[in-house]
Amino acid sequence: MRLILLGAPGAGKGTQAEILSRLLNVPTISTGNILRAAMKNGTPVGLQAKAYVESGKLVPDDVIIGIIEERLQEDDCKNGYVLDGFPRTLAQAKALSGFAKIDGALSIEVSDSEIEHRMEGRRICSKCQATYHVEDNPPKVEGICDKCGGQLVIRKDDIHDVVENRLHIYHEETEPVKEYYRQEGLLLAVRGQKKLADTTQLVFDALGISL
């Protein structure tokens, strides 16, 4: 299965992508993870992308398209993959159709107010990258990771002003991608739930997956 996951930042695409990846035994291709690794390692792409990501702006299409096209040519993608965070613009969607055949585009629908609650309360371990939420999934000791004892930090793209800007960009530039896949007959949509398991079940139902 060659699947795209769509949805606003913080909608839960990454979590559902990992669940589907394990179930279907295909890789998750996350542009966010690829870019964060590139930024951490100081690669040319990482340096190019850093200023855009930290201000909540989209990385230019040509940079992202090149990364994805290269990644999908690797051996582990031969039997399928789950794309998380790509395509984010209409230009990216059209470019993707030139080098990949997609089986479906699944949109996880979550309101802006819920996205703001999720992202502004999110905390990330500075050591092991484990994720917490100050209200919905707090650590046992405030500010300290349960798993490794690392310090919990707020990612720069989870700050209020950046979250608002990311949502504005999503509505303006990414929502047309949904219409593109609707016209292609590939769009599926589920309503994101407060409980992870409930969203997962809706995703499975939409994709016709039974356990």
Side-chain angles (χ1 to χ4, degrees):
M1 181 180 288
R2 294 165 174 80
L3 180 67
I4 295 167
L5 288 189
L6 300 172
K13 300 186 299 297
T15 302
Q16 296 301 325
E18 289 303 324
I19 292 170
L20 289 168
S21 174
R22 291 193 298 270
L23 180 68
L24 301 173
N25 196 29
V26 297
T28 295
I29 311 298
S30 167
T31 51
N33 288 346
I34 292 172
L35 287 172
R36 277 190 285 274
M39 289 188 287
K40 183 177 180 180
N41 295 329
T43 67
V45 169
L47 294 174
Q48 190 176 0
K50 187 174 183 179
Y52 292 94
V53 172
E54 290 188 347
S55 63
K57 296 178 181 178
L58 291 177
V59 177
D61 285 341
D62 58 339
V63 177
I64 297 295
I65 291 166
I67 289 173
I68 295 299
E69 184 172 9
E70 185 177 82
R71 178 67 181 88
L72 295 187
Q73 292 173 359
E74 295 184 18
D75 287 344
D76 63 341
C77 293
K78 287 182 178 179
N79 295 321
Y81 42 79
V82 179
L83 283 169
D84 167 22
F86 182 92
R88 279 182 172 163
T89 68
L90 197 53
Q92 290 178 7
K94 290 179 178 179
L96 178 64
S97 68
F99 58 82
K101 179 176 175 55
I102 298 302
D103 298 317
L106 178 70
S107 176
I108 301 175
E109 306 287 333
V110 180
S111 69
D112 284 6
S113 60
E114 177 62 21
I115 291 293
E116 290 172 359
H117 169 78
R118 291 183 182 186
M119 296 182 71
E120 292 171 24
R122 183 163 57 185
R123 301 293 183 268
I124 307 294
C125 177
S126 57
K127 288 185 179 179
C128 73
Q129 304 302 303
T131 303
Y132 298 85
H133 191 280
V134 293
E135 295 180 8
D136 300 337
N137 181 34
K140 294 176 182 176
V141 178
E142 185 176 352
I144 303 297
C145 177
D146 295 347
K147 297 179 179 179
C148 74
Q151 182 180 2
L152 302 185
V153 298
I154 303 173
R155 276 191 356 203
K156 290 183 178 180
D157 50 359
D158 286 343
I159 295 170
H160 177 75
D161 289 348
V162 176
V163 171
E164 284 197 333
N165 188 48
R166 292 177 74 192
L167 285 170
H168 172 74
I169 290 172
Y170 169 74
H171 290 303
E172 188 174 77
E173 298 192 29
T174 308
E175 285 198 328
V177 175
K178 287 164 55 178
E179 183 57 31
Y180 174 80
Y181 286 114
R182 181 179 286 110
Q183 292 179 5
E184 294 289 312
L186 296 172
L187 185 69
L188 302 166
V190 299
R191 177 67 61 182
Q193 306 295 308
K194 286 189 176 295
K195 291 184 178 180
L196 170 62
D198 293 341
T199 301
T200 301
Q201 186 59 58
L202 292 176
V203 168
F204 285 3
D205 292 345
L207 295 174
I209 296 172
S210 58
L211 298 179

